[in-house]
Amino acid sequence: MHYRLGIALGSGAARGWAHIGILRALEQAGIVPDIVAGTSIGALVGAAYASDRLDSLADWVTGIDWWEIIRYMDLRLGGVEGERLMQAFRERVDDVPIETLPKPFGAVATDLHTGREVWFQNGSLLEAVRASIALPGLFSPVRYQGRWLVDGGLVDPLPVSLCRALGADRVIAVNLNGDIVGRQFSGRVQHRNAPNPLLARLSAGWQAVLGNNHASAAEPESSAEDAPPGLFDVIAGSIHIMQDRITRARMAGDPPDVVLAPRLAHLGLMDFDRAAEAMAAGMTCVQRHLPLLRDVLNLPESG
């Protein structure tokens, strides 16, 4: 390649483990991005990739279950503090200055006061990740240089513009939210016919804050088609709609060269324990689009 290839890793909560499968499949095909930009879960995976620690992250996430995730989620009324989660991440990815990474890396967060996007291109790697993943209603906001920051997906769910600003001549964008609007968001009830204890904990916390004594969103729903959605489904569905619309608008203004959209509608927002499924979907997506990737990126056929 005679150009710098960038990859923009989008937001999508637990579906973000698909980024791991996509990055692995790209490398297996000889497609190695030079530049990495990420939003939310894309920033977390992107930080590991830019640090050459993707395998360590993959080993960790494929071994966690519901209860281990709950232990990381130090729930309080203001949201999840995230310190235990970031400590676990720190054990696998060193907190180094972003500018010293083997690959150029950037993460997106949102200024809660102004609504503007904040680009992390230097400074603490883990501080950038923690700010980028601060999804309202889940993680508490982060105080940074006198500002309160929240999840970058509120303003830029798919950071193509940041990827180009970091020096990418061509950009592969990974959109995790292309097929989820209107789907069963919690998913797990239909998939396993069992409640998600993490959703139960989160829903109970939200109900306490709202003073609402209705049933938890994590309880098995009625089979009736007109059953009202639970609180978590409303929040998740609203996030999906917002991010889908923002992603479409941003890509119309700054289109990437290739969009990879793995099929992830069967995975719920909080299905972090289903990493193997998400990674497999990511690898399948790359394999399905290899001819397009080689054509657009002017790469020779393998073999």
Side-chain angles (χ1 to χ4, degrees):
M1 295 185 297
H2 300 291
Y3 52 83
R4 300 184 80 192
L5 177 63
I7 189 161
L9 304 177
S11 61
R15 297 182 183 93
W17 301 146
H19 289 315
I20 300 174
I22 282 175
L23 290 166
R24 282 179 162 177
L26 286 173
E27 290 205 336
Q28 289 173 9
I31 303 171
V32 181
D34 305 296
I35 294 166
V36 186
T39 295
S40 196
I41 191 69
L44 188 147
V45 176
Y49 182 66
S51 304
D52 289 334
R53 301 295 294 165
L54 190 66
D55 288 343
S56 179
L57 177 67
D59 290 343
W60 173 42
V61 302
T62 52
I64 57 179
D65 58 21
W66 290 353
W67 304 109
E68 188 171 0
I69 294 168
I70 289 174
R71 287 195 293 272
Y72 292 138
M73 301 292 186
D74 38 334
L75 285 169
R76 302 180 186 179
L77 286 182
V80 176
E81 290 299 311
E83 293 307 315
R84 295 177 188 171
L85 175 64
M86 292 310 298
Q87 178 56 41
F89 187 64
R90 186 179 292 109
E91 292 171 2
R92 293 155 180 88
V93 177
D94 293 334
D95 187 13
V96 299
I98 292 172
E99 57 271 26
T100 67
L101 292 172
K103 294 177 184 289
F105 170 77
V108 181
T110 302
D111 186 320
L112 191 57
H113 178 67
T114 65
R116 296 176 179 172
E117 59 189 287
V118 177
W119 288 357
F120 284 87
Q121 302 176 71
N122 49 56
S124 165
L125 178 65
L126 296 194
E127 192 171 49
V129 170
R130 176 63 182 86
S132 190
I133 66 172
L135 183 66
L138 178 58
F139 284 103
S140 56
V142 173
R143 189 71 171 170
Y144 176 76
Q145 295 184 351
R147 297 177 288 180
W148 286 105
L149 303 184
V150 293
D151 195 296
L154 297 181
V155 289
D156 193 3
L158 192 54
V160 175
S161 297
L162 173 56
C163 205
R164 294 199 191 282
L166 289 168
D169 301 305
R170 298 189 185 180
V171 176
I172 299 170
V174 183
N175 181 13
L176 304 178
N177 300 309
D179 65 345
I180 58 175
V181 172
R183 300 299 182 98
Q184 171 70 27
F185 303 116
S186 56
R188 191 184 300 275
V189 171
Q190 292 183 348
H191 182 77
R192 296 181 181 173
N193 196 30
N196 183 330
L198 177 55
L199 296 190
R201 290 279 298 275
L202 291 170
S203 184
W206 285 325
Q207 300 290 1
V209 171
L210 297 173
N212 189 336
N213 294 320
H214 294 309
S216 165
E219 295 176 358
E221 296 183 359
S222 167
S223 60
E225 292 183 0
D226 60 350
L231 176 61
F232 184 81
D233 283 340
V234 171
I235 293 173
S238 300
I239 291 171
H240 294 157
I241 292 168
M242 175 195 69
Q243 294 195 342
D244 178 63
R245 296 301 180 263
I246 295 173
T247 297
R248 291 171 186 266
R250 295 290 299 244
M251 286 200 298
D254 190 2
D257 295 276
V258 179
V259 178
L260 298 178
R263 295 170 180 169
L264 300 166
H266 62 292
L267 296 178
L269 194 70
M270 301 303 296
D271 285 347
F272 288 103
D273 60 310
R274 296 170 66 183
E277 294 176 58
M279 290 163 57
M283 297 194 75
T284 298
C285 178
V286 171
Q287 293 161 0
R288 191 170 63 245
H289 289 89
L290 265 180
L292 172 65
L293 284 162
R294 294 191 184 282
D295 181 56
V296 172
L297 301 177
N298 295 322
L299 298 174
E301 293 293 331
S302 60

